[in-house]
C-alpha cells in the first residue's frame, strides 16, 4: 500500500496504476460437502481458482486440477487490485510449495491449502466451520464403513464417536508415557 496514495491527486493515482499494470484479479473458492447427508457429522473439501483459471486443490499427490464434484455448499469470491505479475508469482509459489508438502487428512489437507492461498493474498482465511478436524474425519470414515456394513446412521455415529474417544485416550496415554522422565 502506497502511504502517499491518499494525498496524491486522482490523475496521478491513475497514471501510477497504468505504469504498474494493476489488475482486478479474481479468486474463487468452492466448498463441497464431502459426506453423505444422512450422517450428522460433515466433512468438507475445497478448491480454488486464480483469476478465471481452472480450479485446483491439494491432494495426496500435490496440487492438482479439480472439477466440480459433490454438492457445492459455499462459494467465496474475492477481488484484489494488484500488480498482475506479482499475483501470478504468489500463485506459482503457493502451488510449488504445497506440491512439495506431505498430505495429512487432519492437519494439512485441501482446506489448509485453500486457507493459505486466501491469506497469501491478504484475505480472511477459510471460515473455521469448514475445516475437517481429525475426529470428524475419523468419525466420517467409521460412518462410511458402518453404512457399507449395514448399520443405521445412528449406529454409525455411535461407532464413530466411540472410535474418537478410544483414539484420544490412547493418544493421551502415549503423551503421558513420553512426558515421564526415567
Amino acid at each position: 500500500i502506497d502511504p502517499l496514495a491518499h494525498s496524491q491527486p486522482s490523475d496521478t493515482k491513475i497514471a501510477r496504476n497504468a505504469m504498474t499494470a494493476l489488475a482486478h484479479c479474481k479468486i474463487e473458492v468452492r466448498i463441497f460437502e464431502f459426506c453423505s447427508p444422512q450422517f450428522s457429522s460433515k466433512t468438507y473439501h475445497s478448491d480454488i481458482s486464480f483469476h478465471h483459471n481452472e480450479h485446483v486443490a491439494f491432494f495426496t499427490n500435490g496440487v492438482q486440477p479439480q472439477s466440480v464434484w459433490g454438492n457445492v455448499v459455499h462459494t467465496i469470491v474475492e477481488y484484489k487490485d494488484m500488480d498482475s505479475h506479482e499475483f501470478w508469482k504468489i500463485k506459482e509459489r503457493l502451488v510449488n510449495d504445497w506440491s512439495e508438502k506431505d498430505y495429512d487428512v487432519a492437519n494439512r489437507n485441501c482446506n489448509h491449502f485453500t486457507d493459505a492461498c486466501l491469506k497469501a493474498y491478504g484475505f480472511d482465511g477459510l471460515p473455521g466451520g469448514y475445516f475437517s478436524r481429525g475426529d470428524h474425519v475419523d468419525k466420517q470414515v467409521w460412518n462410511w464403513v458402518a453404512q457399507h456394513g449395514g448399520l443405521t446412521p445412528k449406529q454409525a455415529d455411535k461407532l464413530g464417536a466411540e472410535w474418537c474417544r478410544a483414539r484420544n485416550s490412547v493418544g493421551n496415554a502415549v503423551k503421558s508415557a513420553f512426558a515421564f522422565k526415567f
Side-chain angles (χ1 to χ4, degrees), residues 92-131:
E92 184 177 328
R93 180 183 49 82
L94 286 162
V95 169
N96 290 338
D97 287 353
W98 277 80
S99 290
E100 298 295 318
K101 295 181 185 288
D102 290 331
Y103 184 90
D104 180 308
V105 72
N107 301 304
R108 191 180 305 114
N109 60 38
C110 55
N111 298 326
H112 295 95
F113 170 70
T114 302
D115 183 66
C117 290
L118 287 168
K119 289 177 178 176
Y121 286 100
F123 301 117
D124 290 336
L126 197 64
Y130 294 114
F131 277 94

Side-chain angles (χ1 to χ4, degrees), residues 10-170:
S10 61
D11 58 340
T12 304
K13 284 191 248 181
I14 292 168
R16 176 175 286 180
N17 287 349
M19 291 187 313
T20 59
L22 287 184
H24 192 63
C25 301
K26 178 182 177 183
I27 292 179
E28 180 183 78
V29 172
R30 298 181 302 197
I31 302 168
F32 302 87
E33 187 175 350
F34 185 64
C35 67
S36 301
Q38 70 263 33
F39 298 116
S40 62
S41 65
K42 294 183 179 181
T43 303
Y44 299 94
H45 169 73
S46 62
D47 65 18
I48 188 165
S49 169
F50 299 91
H51 200 62
H52 308 286
N53 281 355
E54 68 184 345
H55 281 79
V56 295
F58 180 60
F59 297 101
T60 55
N61 55 347
V63 178
Q64 300 292 319
Q66 166 76 43
S67 60
V68 174
W69 60 272
N71 181 30
V72 177
V73 295
H74 189 71
T75 303
I76 300 168
V77 177
E78 297 283 0
Y79 291 91
K80 182 83 172 184
D81 290 327
M82 64 185 299
D83 178 81
S84 60
H85 178 73
E86 184 63 22
F87 179 86
W88 293 112
K89 194 169 152 182
I90 291 170
K91 183 250 184 189
E92 184 177 328
R93 180 183 49 82
L94 286 162
V95 169
N96 290 338
D97 287 353
W98 277 80
S99 290
E100 298 295 318
K101 295 181 185 288
D102 290 331
Y103 184 90
D104 180 308
V105 72
N107 301 304
R108 191 180 305 114
N109 60 38
C110 55
N111 298 326
H112 295 95
F113 170 70
T114 302
D115 183 66
C117 290
L118 287 168
K119 289 177 178 176
Y121 286 100
F123 301 117
D124 290 336
L126 197 64
Y130 294 114
F131 277 94
S132 301
R133 297 178 311 144
D135 60 341
H136 277 283
V137 174
D138 283 348
K139 191 174 178 186
Q140 191 58 40
V141 167
W142 281 104
N143 281 340
W144 184 87
V145 168
Q147 178 187 23
H148 292 346
L151 298 178
T152 67
K154 188 173 183 173
Q155 290 169 322
D157 279 344
K158 184 178 178 186
L159 179 63
E162 288 173 9
W163 165 253
C164 291
R165 278 193 298 280
R167 182 183 49 84
N168 290 338
S169 295
V170 169

